[in-house]
Amino acid sequence: MSDMSTHADAPRSPGRPRSVRADEAIIEATLDLLAEGSTIEALSIEAIATRAGVGKATIYRRWSGKDALLLDALRRLKGIQPQPGGHSVRDDLVLLVGAVGQNIDPRAARIMPCLVPEVNRSPDHFQLYQNIVEPRRKVMREVLRRGVASGELRADLDIEVAMALLTGPMLIQRMLRWHPELDDRLLPERIVDGILDGIRAR
């Protein structure tokens, strides 16, 4: 896969400062094209440049290639990861589970389900997805490890399985509306309390 580093990590070149407006236009154009049905494979730098009203060189000055741009665009779509307060394992887990599959941007409802087949078909796209979600997994992993260290959670807890148990129900409900009668506002607490019954220290 091509270099996945984001433009934020790239060294600034000398000369005129980069235009934030151009950055925004490029990200928005990428998300718009995906929301309109373009696949990752079909999406081109040329199409993004045309929609954003910039030249291709403007994009390449900011991102190393399409994968790096997609990583930034999809991170924008996912929004900012909530930061646990660190006072209560339960409250921190409720906060993190509540953020699973939750996107403020309405385009996410059209983009995210369409990415699933592409992620399953392509090792490169699978890695792109992993680069987006791993920082979020890391935050939940730290909360669970803190619970084990404090004695609140079982010493033999399988952290990775616990994360799957916590995130899976919320993800399938928000992406597929698996059960229309479940209340999304109450579901994070119900999931966490149900899982905690099995993973609390005895």
Side-chain angles (χ1 to χ4, degrees), residues 67-133:
D67 287 339
L69 171 54
L70 279 169
L71 182 60
D72 273 1
L74 293 175
R75 279 176 173 163
R76 168 78 64 82
L77 194 68
K78 290 290 292 178
I80 298 172
Q81 166 83 3
Q83 295 303 309
H87 305 297
S88 161
V89 169
R90 178 192 179 274
D91 290 349
D92 287 349
L93 290 175
V94 170
L95 176 71
L96 296 176
V97 170
V100 171
Q102 186 176 51
N103 302 284
I104 298 174
D105 193 317
R107 290 172 295 190
R110 300 193 296 275
I111 293 174
M112 299 309 290
C114 297
L115 293 182
V116 174
E118 298 194 47
V119 166
N120 289 330
R121 282 196 300 264
S122 165
D124 285 350
H125 298 161
F126 175 77
Q127 188 58 52
L128 174 68
Y129 171 73
Q130 294 301 318
N131 288 342
I132 294 169
V133 300

Side-chain angles (χ1 to χ4, degrees), residues 3 19 35 42 50 61 69 86-87 126 131 140-141 145-146 156 179 184 192 201:
D3 178 17
S19 166
T50 299
R61 280 197 297 269
L69 171 54
H87 305 297
F126 175 77
N131 288 342
M140 184 176 287
R141 193 178 288 123
R145 285 175 176 164
R146 192 180 77 237
D156 64 346
H179 195 322
D184 278 12
V192 170

Side-chain angles (χ1 to χ4, degrees), residues 13 20 34 36 56 73 87 92 120 123 130 134 172 195:
S13 57
V20 174
L34 288 172
E36 290 167 10
K56 289 192 292 183
H87 305 297
D92 287 349
N120 289 330
Q130 294 301 318
E134 175 54 27
I172 195 171
I195 300 299

Side-chain angles (χ1 to χ4, degrees), residues 15 26 36 55 72 99 108 119 158 174 202:
I26 292 164
E36 290 167 10
D72 273 1
V119 166
D158 188 320
R174 284 199 165 138
R202 300 301 185 212

Side-chain angles (χ1 to χ4, degrees), residues 2-3 7 9 24-27 36 39 41-42 48 51-52 72 80 94 100 103 112 138 142 157 165 177 187 197:
S2 62
D3 178 17
H7 66 284
D9 299 322
E24 292 291 327
I26 292 164
I27 291 287
E36 290 167 10
T39 64
E41 287 290 350
I48 295 168
R51 174 63 68 91
D72 273 1
I80 298 172
V94 170
V100 171
N103 302 284
M112 299 309 290
K138 180 180 179 182
E142 289 170 352
L157 177 65
L165 290 170
R177 299 300 302 166
L187 191 55
D197 281 344

